[in-house]
Amino acid sequence: MTTDAIQVPADAAARHAERTRRVADAIALKETDRVPVIYHTQFWHARQAGMNYRRAMYDYQALMDSCREVVLALEPDMYASPLRPAFGPCLDALGFKQLEWPGHGTRDDAMFQYLDREYMKPEEYKEFLFDPSGFFLSKYLPRVGTAFEGLDKLPSLPTLYYGRIFAVLPRFCDPAVTRAFERLRRAGEEGERLGACMSSFAEEMDRLGFPQSQGVMASSPYDYLGDHFRGSKGILLDMYRRKDELLAALDKVTTILLEHTVAAGSRHPCKLVYIPIHWAMDSFMSLEQFKTFFWPPFRRLLLGMIEAGLTPVCFWESVCTTRLETIADIPPAKAIYWFEGTDLARAKEVLRGIACVRGNVPPSVLISGTPEDVDACCRRLIETAGKGGGLILDGACGIPDEAKPANVKAMFASVRKYAA
Amino acid sequence: MDALADMREEEAVALARSMLDAGDDPSRVLEICREAMDVVGKRFEKQEYFLPELVLAGEMLETIGAMAKPLLQQASGGESKKLGRVLIGTVHGDLHDIGKNIVTFMLDINGYEVRDIGIDVPVTKFVEEIRDFKPLVVGLSGFLTLAFDSMKETVQAIEHAGLRNGMKIMIGGGQVDEAVRTYTGADAFGSNAVAAVGLCRQWIPAQAA
């Protein structure tokens, strides 16, 4: 299907404004004409179009075509860009090592997966804290992507001053350095191609009347360090063995993440910032540990984003019931809290007047249930968590790729059937 | 024992070292560690301890074990009797192992003989390992939604191989719930490691081992 072949409805602009307003009102905790619903998935549309994961991660056009078709049929209030997980060509260009994906560790019909490893050694905290950029160039980046190998041959950047600059100039033509820059140039071009597709798809969907549900992404400081640097085992041990260094690193990372998120988020037309949260769940750490390590830096990040006019969309993975009272400590009506496994009615009770809740039709129902099961589940969510406004309906983790089409249709139909 | 159970790592390791240096029986040192791990497990069940404590306790045990085991005399007795065999693995297509590792750890400190066959385990490997290990319980772990189908296929393959009789299958991880249990045909699901231990206690009476 080509873009030109699609008829733009006469009322598309009005529908776009109406959908945007409906979600904005839900975030503002106002009552809406109906509960808004968002289409968020990894590759459900691609699977419906018969693509395997390998093609879905590499074929930008096919992915956009399949997503457009689904969005036009389901008519959500917002959708998440289908190109978010289409990073196969960029991963290839970078020689990325933190994921396995089709053709690179997983089968063609299997999803990409993160490799939980130690990418920063415990004794490297000091180096990271003293000069994060230097640590990235000399240690971290070459560990996570082969294209970065060679950057460790660069001189220490703060030593480039006055006459010293001339002394270290030859380092910039070191074959390892020029090879790295050449590979990164090619990776950059691929990134540009992906970015251009994202922008043009968003503009096209805007014309068709559908706004995006998220702009840039961010990470909680604890997840950033745990997922991408220390690994799960490493950061759990650091909570005992290197508490002060971990707290100092979390503080530093918060500043870095905040500056980046505000700068990138301000440039993006969509002001909703998606933040998947992996380590907040009840079963991972005690409430006291959560209040020491996780929440204070994350709250600072959220407050900074809100102050800059951005709307955090926090995806609280798994069950976070014991965290609800703590995470209620943010300015009212400025964020979406999307809960995967937390009881949404209970969350709404605690967060009433504080945050819009989102979720949470279980994947088990969408995959193995019937349309009647889905309908009943959505009705319950709408009539309990939707009462008084401030609910966005969604799957617990979006639409799982394995969900039955009739079940997905039932979920999107439910907001038009039931009133909060 | 208190030092290990209370997460005072340096003190626990130093105490073990001084006991061994003083010529104490290394099996006695390991026995104290086992008692301490029992306390850790109970605190985890009561939600006083969480993952940081389990991981640190595991590290302390490994350090002390490495010091004590080379000193063990052959005559000092064997391993304590295990309660029963449990085979566990993450189903094919899924590489996640945090949940599986916690369940393995908790079953181990609760006295079960656990064989962990890793992640992304093909159906055929489950069947082969069951034939070889002859477990009373099989645990299928998975975090991703694709694991629902992998679990179903694994349960079916175990049945087709004629291995289901006299054996129980439990599933867990991520978004697993009763609907997934029905879908996969497993005997039960567990939301966490404590639930997995509870299922094994229910299915493997102490005298059966």
Side-chain angles (χ1 to χ4, degrees), chain A residues 129-205:
Chain A
L129 284 165
F130 178 69
D131 175 15
S133 300
F135 176 73
F136 264 70
L137 289 173
S138 65
K139 303 271 174 64
Y140 181 72
L141 291 175
R143 285 176 192 165
V144 303
T146 57
F148 296 112
E149 287 168 6
L151 295 186
D152 54 325
K153 302 286 188 300
L154 283 170
S156 159
L157 297 185
T159 65
L160 298 180
Y161 69 99
Y162 201 52
R164 170 80 187 152
I165 291 176
F166 313 124
V168 297
L169 272 181
R171 298 266 208 107
F172 289 97
C173 67
D174 182 300
V177 172
T178 55
R179 202 165 41 242
F181 279 127
E182 176 52 26
R183 283 193 64 184
L184 289 171
R185 185 185 64 75
R186 290 202 298 270
E189 285 168 358
E190 189 54 51
E192 208 163 46
R193 199 165 77 82
L194 175 61
C197 285
M198 281 179 147
S199 301
S200 69
F201 187 72
E203 284 163 15
E204 182 199 343
M205 295 307 287

Side-chain angles (χ1 to χ4, degrees), chain A residues 100 105-107 110-116 232-233 236-237 239-241 279 282-287 289 317 340-341 362-365 367-368 396-397 400-402, chain B residues 6-7 9 44 47-53 55-56 59-60 62-63 92-98 102 120 143-149 174-175 177 179-180 183 192:
Chain A
E100 287 194 350
T106 64
R107 300 185 314 263
M111 174 72 125
F112 64 85
Q113 291 184 59
Y114 180 71
L115 295 173
D116 175 28
S232 56
K233 185 177 172 186
L236 291 170
L237 289 171
M239 289 165 72
Y240 275 96
R241 290 175 173 171
W279 282 94
D282 291 347
S283 58
F284 273 9
M285 62 177 88
S286 69
L287 185 58
Q289 288 164 336
E317 205 171 89
E340 185 186 27
S364 60
V365 177
I367 294 171
S368 67
C397 48
D401 297 345
E402 303 81 3
Chain B
D6 294 343
M7 300 295 125
E9 184 183 18
F44 183 76
Q47 295 184 12
E48 293 167 8
Y49 277 175
F50 292 85
L51 294 203
E53 290 75 25
V55 172
L56 185 62
E59 287 278 300
M60 286 190 268
E62 200 176 313
T63 306
H92 69 87
D94 199 324
L95 307 178
H96 289 85
D97 65 358
I98 295 179
I102 301 162
D120 192 15
F143 178 76
L144 303 172
T145 48
L146 64 81
F148 300 173
D149 280 326
Q175 285 273 348
D177 57 15
V180 180
Y183 181 70
N192 52 49

Side-chain angles (χ1 to χ4, degrees), chain B residues 137-154:
Chain B
V137 176
V138 171
L140 307 181
S141 175
F143 178 76
L144 303 172
T145 48
L146 64 81
F148 300 173
D149 280 326
S150 302
M151 287 173 174
K152 187 176 186 171
E153 289 164 22
T154 309

